[in-house]
Amino acid sequence: MTTTHDTFPLRFELTPSEAVRAESEREAILADPGFGRFFTDHMVSIEWTTEEGWHDAAVVPYGPITLDPAASVLHYAQEIFEGLKAYRHEDGSVWTFRPDANGRRLQRSARRLALPELAVDDFVESLKQLVRADVDWVPSADEQSLYIRPFMIATESFLGVRAAHKVGFYVIASPAGAYFSGGVAPVSIWLSTNYSRAGKGGTGAAKTGGNYASSLLPQEEAYQHGCAQVLFLDSVEATYIEELGGMNVVLVYKDGTLVTPESDSILEGITRDSLLQLAEDRGHRVERRRVTIDEWREGVESGDIVEVFACGTAAVVTPIAELKGEGFSVGSPDAQPGPLTMSLREELTDIQYGRRPDVHGWLTRLDA
Ligand code: PLP
Ligand code: COI
């Protein structure tokens, strides 16, 4: 059976899966989803060519993508992605958070990676189409959500190094619990001094797979030192903090000021932007500026910095208890989560789960 949903400008054709998981199997997965291990029954696929632009929008059964071995993404990593979540509210409705911001960021990433831009309305519609097909996969347990992963790849079979003339955009979804296995427990962070995440004029501000590939080795180093994430410095002076492998960083001063790094080589996090807005709404001062690693170390040691947290869609808000690097550590792995960290986390998740008014108009309904 094939039905179509009328949408403008892209029309999505739905091919329902014939292998939809039984309710009992789905419920068993939703009981303990972890992060990124299980996927729903459908996915979105949209094609792009230089001649036709975006076309053939479809919701199809979840499954392998067939690529020619010469597909340029496999050789030159012309790829971008996004990450956002669908939240089930008390009344059963399903919502997502600031999807237009993710859509605009995908466009910025596309420009940097010489990929075609998808209209923000089409991006948001693709999320709605997938969630409507797989709405039973949106968990209702506390702190759980459906993590949505849109991505775009160069599918043209061509080994010359230039922007591909054929591209695919896909959306998959994965039920999610806590990103870190310890839940909201504070984590230790490893300062990488051997590796950079992004160079000047590079792709640091784009959400592209290569940034994550280059973070894997330093991330291994972090694990070896008992740390959950790696912190990168700027690549020019190795002085200014940038971000973690998959999260932004915010420092909280004892006078209530929140400070976060500004740089053109970090990912502009939507979670960070939202938390800083909530803090400003409460009257906190917010500074987006360059921050040296010494400011962090000395601030924690002197007591001027009273809380540090990491934030991102997958990890939400995670307190940072300890910063370690070659020959030093500040903070303590046993430190308790800071009160501002936890209250901002609660306010943000309350908005996302519909437990508090959405005064900024950040929520978009996905299931209707
Ligand atoms: N920085 C990096 C490198 C990330 O991968 C992410 C996660 O998406 C973030 C920051 C936080 O971004 P957001 O809050 O939009 O998820
Ligand atoms: C996210 O928070 O959405 C991320 O992309 C982080 C990580 C899973 C890559």
Side-chain angles (χ1 to χ4, degrees):
M1 185 190 75
T2 295
T3 48
T4 54
H5 298 290
D6 278 340
T7 54
F8 182 79
L10 282 175
R11 259 170 55 114
F12 288 76
E13 187 154 314
L14 171 67
T15 305
S17 170
E18 290 177 2
V20 167
R21 256 71 53 86
E23 188 180 345
S24 56
E25 192 181 339
R26 197 178 59 237
E27 291 305 323
I29 291 171
L30 295 185
D32 182 21
F35 183 84
R37 290 155 55 216
F38 302 100
F39 299 91
T40 64
D41 293 315
H42 296 87
M43 61 191 219
V44 160
S45 153
I46 313 178
E47 304 267 314
W48 180 91
T49 58
T50 36
E51 297 80 37
E52 289 182 87
W54 291 107
H55 63 278
D56 283 356
V59 178
V60 295
Y62 183 91
I65 297 168
T66 304
L67 285 179
D68 191 280
S72 44
V73 65
L74 301 176
H75 303 270
Y76 310 128
Q78 198 188 1
E79 187 267 1
I80 55 175
F81 68 99
E82 269 303 325
L84 57 170
K85 283 176 170 171
Y87 307 90
R88 196 179 284 282
H89 288 190
E90 181 86 49
D91 65 359
S93 59
V94 177
W95 301 73
T96 194
F97 187 72
R98 305 186 69 183
D100 48 315
N102 293 86
R104 288 195 300 274
R105 189 169 66 188
L106 186 75
Q107 291 183 327
R108 295 199 296 278
S109 298
R111 286 199 284 278
R112 180 63 184 85
L113 271 290
L115 283 161
E117 288 177 43
L118 182 67
V120 171
D121 286 352
D122 289 330
F123 173 82
V124 175
E125 183 61 24
S126 75
L127 312 178
K128 291 182 178 173
Q129 293 281 336
L130 181 58
V131 165
R132 284 173 201 166
D134 285 333
V135 72
D136 292 340
W137 284 92
V138 183
S140 41
D142 213 25
E143 294 273 330
Q144 290 193 359
S145 59
L146 183 69
Y147 182 77
I148 306 175
R149 170 55 64 84
F151 62 103
M152 195 187 293
I153 57 175
T155 52
E156 184 183 0
S157 318
F158 179 62
L159 293 184
V161 183
R162 60 143 169 77
H165 294 168
K166 188 162 173 267
V167 166
F169 171 78
Y170 306 88
V171 188
I172 57 174
S174 172
Y179 183 73
F180 292 116
S181 49
V184 248
V187 295
S188 297
I189 297 297
W190 176 252
L191 172 69
S192 177
T193 37
N194 295 325
Y195 303 102
S196 298
R197 173 181 175 275
K200 186 171 159 54
T203 57
K207 204 158 168 62
T208 181
N211 293 340
Y212 298 80
S214 74
S215 78
L216 298 179
L217 185 60
Q219 178 66 50
E220 286 297 317
E221 239 180 47
Y223 291 145
Q224 281 160 16
H225 289 90
C227 294
Q229 275 273 313
V230 58
L231 170 71
F232 292 103
L233 297 178
D234 78 281
S235 64
V236 178
E237 296 174 63
T239 299
Y240 298 96
I241 60 170
E242 297 228 303
E243 62 182 323
L244 307 183
M247 280 150 239
N248 293 122
V249 177
V250 178
L251 313 175
V252 182
Y253 277 75
K254 68 177 178 214
D255 70 354
T257 303
L258 288 86
V259 177
T260 195
E262 186 168 64
S263 155
D264 54 13
S265 55
I266 68 178
L267 191 77
E268 293 286 334
I270 294 155
T271 314
R272 177 176 74 159
D273 184 67
S274 310
L275 291 164
L276 295 179
Q277 179 65 59
L278 296 177
E280 273 176 335
D281 293 350
R282 294 183 189 186
H284 287 266
R285 214 166 90 144
V286 167
E287 294 175 6
R288 295 172 177 82
R289 59 168 169 82
R290 300 219 289 177
V291 182
T292 65
I293 186 64
D294 288 344
E295 177 175 342
W296 180 341
R297 288 177 60 175
E298 289 161 13
V300 171
E301 271 162 1
S302 71
D304 279 344
I305 293 175
V306 288
E307 301 181 33
V308 186
F309 63 83
C311 54
T313 298
V316 196
V317 175
T318 300
I320 298 178
E322 185 189 26
L323 169 68
K324 293 206 279 187
E326 289 303 343
F328 80 93
S329 84
V330 288
S332 150
D334 309 319
Q336 291 304 304
L340 184 63
T341 301
M342 294 314 275
S343 85
L344 285 174
R345 183 185 203 283
E346 183 176 288
E347 186 174 353
L348 180 71
T349 53
D350 277 354
I351 295 167
Q352 291 169 332
Y353 286 91
R355 297 185 293 251
R356 237 182 240 241
D358 171 27
V359 295
H360 291 285
W362 282 336
L363 298 186
T364 293
R365 187 158 182 187
L366 291 178
D367 63 325

PDB file of all heavy atoms in Angstrom, residues 9 17 39 67 162-163 178 187 221 233 251 259 336 351:
ATOM      1  N   PRO A   9       6.872  22.557  -0.541  1.00  0.00           N
ATOM      2  CA  PRO A   9       6.941  22.193  -1.953  1.00  0.00           C
ATOM      3  C   PRO A   9       7.248  20.711  -2.192  1.00  0.00           C
ATOM      4  O   PRO A   9       6.930  20.207  -3.259  1.00  0.00           O
ATOM      5  CB  PRO A   9       8.082  23.052  -2.491  1.00  0.00           C
ATOM      6  CG  PRO A   9       8.942  23.321  -1.310  1.00  0.00           C
ATOM      7  CD  PRO A   9       8.079  23.268  -0.089  1.00  0.00           C
ATOM      8  N   SER A  17       6.613  -0.058   5.987  1.00  0.00           N
ATOM      9  CA  SER A  17       7.460  -1.232   6.187  1.00  0.00           C
ATOM     10  C   SER A  17       6.591  -2.474   6.347  1.00  0.00           C
ATOM     11  O   SER A  17       5.541  -2.428   6.985  1.00  0.00           O
ATOM     12  CB  SER A  17       8.308  -1.034   7.442  1.00  0.00           C
ATOM     13  OG  SER A  17       8.940  -2.230   7.780  1.00  0.00           O
ATOM     14  N   PHE A  39      16.932   1.392  16.012  1.00  0.00           N
ATOM     15  CA  PHE A  39      16.357   2.337  15.051  1.00  0.00           C
ATOM     16  C   PHE A  39      14.905   1.980  14.769  1.00  0.00           C
ATOM     17  O   PHE A  39      14.493   0.831  14.939  1.00  0.00           O
ATOM     18  CB  PHE A  39      17.237   2.381  13.793  1.00  0.00           C
ATOM     19  CG  PHE A  39      18.622   2.843  14.159  1.00  0.00           C
ATOM     20  CD1 PHE A  39      19.616   1.936  14.501  1.00  0.00           C
ATOM     21  CD2 PHE A  39      18.891   4.198  14.281  1.00  0.00           C
ATOM     22  CE1 PHE A  39      20.866   2.368  14.931  1.00  0.00           C
ATOM     23  CE2 PHE A  39      20.138   4.642  14.713  1.00  0.00           C
ATOM     24  CZ  PHE A  39      21.125   3.724  15.039  1.00  0.00           C
ATOM     25  N   LEU A  67      25.039   2.131  -2.129  1.00  0.00           N
ATOM     26  CA  LEU A  67      25.945   3.142  -2.683  1.00  0.00           C
ATOM     27  C   LEU A  67      26.929   2.474  -3.631  1.00  0.00           C
ATOM     28  O   LEU A  67      27.412   1.375  -3.355  1.00  0.00           O
ATOM     29  CB  LEU A  67      26.764   3.792  -1.563  1.00  0.00           C
ATOM     30  CG  LEU A  67      26.083   4.795  -0.653  1.00  0.00           C
ATOM     31  CD1 LEU A  67      27.083   5.292   0.387  1.00  0.00           C
ATOM     32  CD2 LEU A  67      25.537   5.967  -1.454  1.00  0.00           C
ATOM     33  N   ARG A 162      35.633  17.183  -6.542  1.00  0.00           N
ATOM     34  CA  ARG A 162      34.812  18.384  -6.690  1.00  0.00           C
ATOM     35  C   ARG A 162      33.468  18.097  -6.022  1.00  0.00           C
ATOM     36  O   ARG A 162      33.175  16.951  -5.661  1.00  0.00           O
ATOM     37  CB  ARG A 162      34.591  18.736  -8.172  1.00  0.00           C
ATOM     38  CG  ARG A 162      33.888  17.654  -8.973  1.00  0.00           C
ATOM     39  CD  ARG A 162      32.931  18.220 -10.012  1.00  0.00           C
ATOM     40  NE  ARG A 162      32.458  17.199 -10.930  1.00  0.00           N
ATOM     41  CZ  ARG A 162      31.529  16.293 -10.651  1.00  0.00           C
ATOM     42  NH1 ARG A 162      30.981  16.221  -9.451  1.00  0.00           N
ATOM     43  NH2 ARG A 162      31.149  15.420 -11.563  1.00  0.00           N
ATOM     44  N   ALA A 163      32.671  19.145  -5.839  1.00  0.00           N
ATOM     45  CA  ALA A 163      31.367  18.961  -5.198  1.00  0.00           C
ATOM     46  C   ALA A 163      30.521  17.998  -6.041  1.00  0.00           C
ATOM     47  O   ALA A 163      30.449  18.127  -7.263  1.00  0.00           O
ATOM     48  CB  ALA A 163      30.670  20.310  -5.076  1.00  0.00           C
ATOM     49  N   ALA A 178      19.811   8.091  28.498  1.00  0.00           N
ATOM     50  CA  ALA A 178      20.939   8.976  28.792  1.00  0.00           C
ATOM     51  C   ALA A 178      22.095   8.704  27.832  1.00  0.00           C
ATOM     52  O   ALA A 178      22.357   7.559  27.478  1.00  0.00           O
ATOM     53  CB  ALA A 178      21.395   8.765  30.225  1.00  0.00           C
ATOM     54  N   VAL A 187      30.845  14.334  35.097  1.00  0.00           N
ATOM     55  CA  VAL A 187      31.872  13.599  34.349  1.00  0.00           C
ATOM     56  C   VAL A 187      33.224  14.301  34.462  1.00  0.00           C
ATOM     57  O   VAL A 187      33.300  15.478  34.814  1.00  0.00           O
ATOM     58  CB  VAL A 187      31.490  13.481  32.846  1.00  0.00           C
ATOM     59  CG1 VAL A 187      30.242  12.645  32.660  1.00  0.00           C
ATOM     60  CG2 VAL A 187      31.338  14.863  32.205  1.00  0.00           C
ATOM     61  N   GLU A 221      42.135   8.700  23.987  1.00  0.00           N
ATOM     62  CA  GLU A 221      43.070   9.163  25.008  1.00  0.00           C
ATOM     63  C   GLU A 221      42.313   9.555  26.275  1.00  0.00           C
ATOM     64  O   GLU A 221      42.732   9.241  27.384  1.00  0.00           O
ATOM     65  CB  GLU A 221      43.787  10.414  24.478  1.00  0.00           C
ATOM     66  CG  GLU A 221      45.271  10.304  24.398  1.00  0.00           C
ATOM     67  CD  GLU A 221      45.877  11.596  23.853  1.00  0.00           C
ATOM     68  OE1 GLU A 221      45.524  12.720  24.300  1.00  0.00           O
ATOM     69  OE2 GLU A 221      46.694  11.469  22.956  1.00  0.00           O
ATOM     70  N   LEU A 233      41.439  22.656  22.407  1.00  0.00           N
ATOM     71  CA  LEU A 233      41.862  24.061  22.401  1.00  0.00           C
ATOM     72  C   LEU A 233      41.905  24.565  20.968  1.00  0.00           C
ATOM     73  O   LEU A 233      41.889  23.771  20.020  1.00  0.00           O
ATOM     74  CB  LEU A 233      43.256  24.174  23.019  1.00  0.00           C
ATOM     75  CG  LEU A 233      43.372  23.758  24.479  1.00  0.00           C
ATOM     76  CD1 LEU A 233      44.820  23.882  24.946  1.00  0.00           C
ATOM     77  CD2 LEU A 233      42.464  24.622  25.360  1.00  0.00           C
ATOM     78  N   LEU A 251      31.057  27.901  31.616  1.00  0.00           N
ATOM     79  CA  LEU A 251      31.629  28.090  32.954  1.00  0.00           C
ATOM     80  C   LEU A 251      30.719  29.035  33.739  1.00  0.00           C
ATOM     81  O   LEU A 251      30.226  30.028  33.185  1.00  0.00           O
ATOM     82  CB  LEU A 251      33.020  28.739  32.864  1.00  0.00           C
ATOM     83  CG  LEU A 251      34.023  28.168  31.861  1.00  0.00           C
ATOM     84  CD1 LEU A 251      35.299  29.023  31.852  1.00  0.00           C
ATOM     85  CD2 LEU A 251      34.368  26.734  32.198  1.00  0.00           C
ATOM     86  N   VAL A 259      29.903  32.067  31.266  1.00  0.00           N
ATOM     87  CA  VAL A 259      30.881  32.392  30.231  1.00  0.00           C
ATOM     88  C   VAL A 259      31.027  31.196  29.305  1.00  0.00           C
ATOM     89  O   VAL A 259      31.161  30.056  29.765  1.00  0.00           O
ATOM     90  CB  VAL A 259      32.248  32.743  30.864  1.00  0.00           C
ATOM     91  CG1 VAL A 259      33.284  33.019  29.779  1.00  0.00           C
ATOM     92  CG2 VAL A 259      32.118  33.948  31.790  1.00  0.00           C
ATOM     93  N   GLN A 336      29.791  17.326  43.512  1.00  0.00           N
ATOM     94  CA  GLN A 336      28.341  17.243  43.273  1.00  0.00           C
ATOM     95  C   GLN A 336      27.966  18.185  42.133  1.00  0.00           C
ATOM     96  O   GLN A 336      28.623  19.200  41.930  1.00  0.00           O
ATOM     97  CB  GLN A 336      27.582  17.668  44.540  1.00  0.00           C
ATOM     98  CG  GLN A 336      27.738  16.678  45.688  1.00  0.00           C
ATOM     99  CD  GLN A 336      27.301  15.282  45.273  1.00  0.00           C
ATOM    100  OE1 GLN A 336      26.173  15.080  44.825  1.00  0.00           O
ATOM    101  NE2 GLN A 336      28.205  14.309  45.368  1.00  0.00           N
ATOM    102  N   ILE A 351      10.560  22.491  29.693  1.00  0.00           N
ATOM    103  CA  ILE A 351       9.985  23.095  28.478  1.00  0.00           C
ATOM    104  C   ILE A 351       9.871  22.020  27.399  1.00  0.00           C
ATOM    105  O   ILE A 351       8.832  21.867  26.754  1.00  0.00           O
ATOM    106  CB  ILE A 351      10.853  24.280  27.992  1.00  0.00           C
ATOM    107  CG1 ILE A 351      10.839  25.418  29.014  1.00  0.00           C
ATOM    108  CG2 ILE A 351      10.370  24.785  26.621  1.00  0.00           C
ATOM    109  CD1 ILE A 351      11.900  26.499  28.779  1.00  0.00           C
TER     110      ILE A 351
END
